[in-house]
Amino acid sequence: DTLLANPRNPVPTIGGSRFNPTDRNLPMGPQDIQQLLQRNDVLYYSTDELTTPVSVMGNSDVRVYFRSSTKDADISVRLCDIYPDGKWVILTQGIERLRLRNSYATESLLTVGALDSCTVHLNDLAINFPKGHKIGLLLSGTNYPMFDINPNSGGTMYTAGDTVTANTLLYHTHEFPARFTYKTTDVVSLVEYDEQTEDIQLYPNPSSMEVVVHTATPCTQVTMYDALGIPVYTVVPLSGNNQVHITTAQLPSGCYTISAETESIIYVRP
């Protein structure tokens, strides 16, 4: 897919983080940006309808392979929640100036037509995408006035000069895949507490000295969390080991949760 970026006709910013606190007429926050889908200089992608909720907690990014017709260009990404009625509600956004793709300290202009790659980092987010919604990504070569316009010429940044329309070919093939990654609190599978289950055993419980965690299949990692969800103890057992001993004598009195991960499932027990 080709991303067109004409500095003289930038894709407008709608919603998202406040970028001009002195102008209250500029829309900010979770706005519907569906109107941008009609432009010929944006690309947009979405998942299928979610069959289960998906949580995004923390940072996320988009990595792409590309070829550009200019010595410099921008790739802007907006993450959206797509509602069943068709609204594209912006949640967070980010941009990468391609001359800075390798380092923010050292500029590296593009070689016209050469295969390259970059990662666009999005602002941190904590959101739950409900069942029935879709996750959407809108890409553009400009996002103004949230981000300064790139002349695309490769000249000195933030100085007046000629502008060039950039045509950036974005790949999403098996050999050169595009990827959206994010942090989440979701787990592959959750086994609710049941004293009769034989898949995971935790004893003695309560304990003041040591807890033994025993799972039906070998563990890959066991973590203990305090009441605030902060990990206080983590152990990676030897390969093939399905029993872990956790020393609790040094821990303050209180309620803790054990997470025992195997190759196929994550058990959680209080």
Side-chain angles (χ1 to χ4, degrees):
D1 295 334
T2 300
L3 195 61
L4 179 70
N6 181 358
R8 296 182 182 275
N9 182 27
V11 179
T13 300
I14 301 176
S17 304
R18 178 182 282 275
F19 46 86
N20 190 345
T22 63
D23 187 349
R24 296 185 178 276
N25 295 318
L26 293 173
M28 65 176 185
Q31 303 287 330
D32 181 10
I33 65 171
Q34 186 179 176
Q35 60 184 282
L36 297 181
L37 306 185
Q38 308 303 318
R39 295 180 60 110
N40 67 353
D41 53 358
V42 302
L43 299 173
Y44 54 93
Y45 310 91
S46 73
T47 64
D48 293 330
E49 285 190 8
L50 301 176
T51 56
T52 57
V54 172
S55 296
V56 176
M57 301 289 178
N59 54 48
S60 56
D61 58 62
V62 172
R63 181 165 180 78
V64 293
Y65 289 88
F66 66 89
R67 298 180 192 269
S68 180
S69 66
T70 54
K71 295 181 179 180
D72 193 20
D74 289 352
I75 297 178
S76 167
V77 177
R78 309 180 211 199
L79 175 64
C80 300
D81 183 357
I82 306 176
Y83 282 60
D85 63 3
K87 291 196 298 287
W88 281 61
V89 177
I90 182 172
L91 301 174
T92 187
Q93 57 194 333
I95 197 168
E96 184 69 18
R97 181 144 296 184
L98 297 181
R99 69 167 69 195
L100 302 175
R101 66 198 180 283
N102 299 321
S103 169
Y104 290 121
T106 304
E107 297 182 11
S108 178
L109 294 178
L110 302 173
T111 299
V112 174
L115 181 67
D116 214 318
S117 65
C118 77
T119 300
V120 183
H121 300 282
L122 307 183
N123 294 329
D124 286 0
L125 179 70
I127 192 72
N128 184 67
F129 290 89
K131 176 182 177 180
H133 285 220
K134 300 177 184 179
I135 300 174
L137 292 172
L138 186 146
L139 280 66
S140 59
T142 51
N143 184 352
Y144 180 79
M146 179 66 187
F147 301 104
D148 290 330
I149 294 175
N150 189 343
N152 301 331
S153 62
T156 304
M157 290 195 296
Y158 312 121
T159 59
D162 292 337
T163 61
V164 181
T165 297
N167 291 275
T168 304
L169 177 64
L170 303 182
Y171 287 80
H172 48 89
T173 64
H174 178 74
E175 185 178 7
F176 302 112
R179 185 182 66 224
F180 170 58
T181 59
Y182 60 92
K183 290 186 177 180
T184 180
T185 57
D186 295 338
V187 295
V188 175
S189 180
L190 177 64
V191 176
E192 294 182 354
Y193 175 65
D194 181 355
E195 290 186 357
Q196 303 303 317
T197 183
E198 296 182 356
D199 292 332
I200 180 172
Q201 298 177 2
L202 190 66
Y203 56 88
N205 187 14
S207 171
S208 59
M209 297 298 294
E210 182 183 74
V211 172
V212 178
V213 181
H214 182 90
T215 55
T217 55
C219 295
T220 57
Q221 180 171 299
V222 175
T223 305
M224 175 180 281
Y225 299 89
D226 65 14
L228 296 177
I230 300 173
V232 296
Y233 188 98
T234 299
V235 60
V236 178
L238 295 175
S239 178
N241 195 346
N242 64 343
Q243 183 167 295
V244 174
H245 295 253
I246 298 179
T247 301
T248 59
Q250 78 282 9
L251 298 175
S253 299
C255 296
Y256 296 87
T257 301
I258 296 289
S259 169
E261 301 181 26
T262 70
E263 292 293 341
S264 60
I265 200 168
I266 300 176
Y267 299 100
V268 178
R269 284 282 300 271

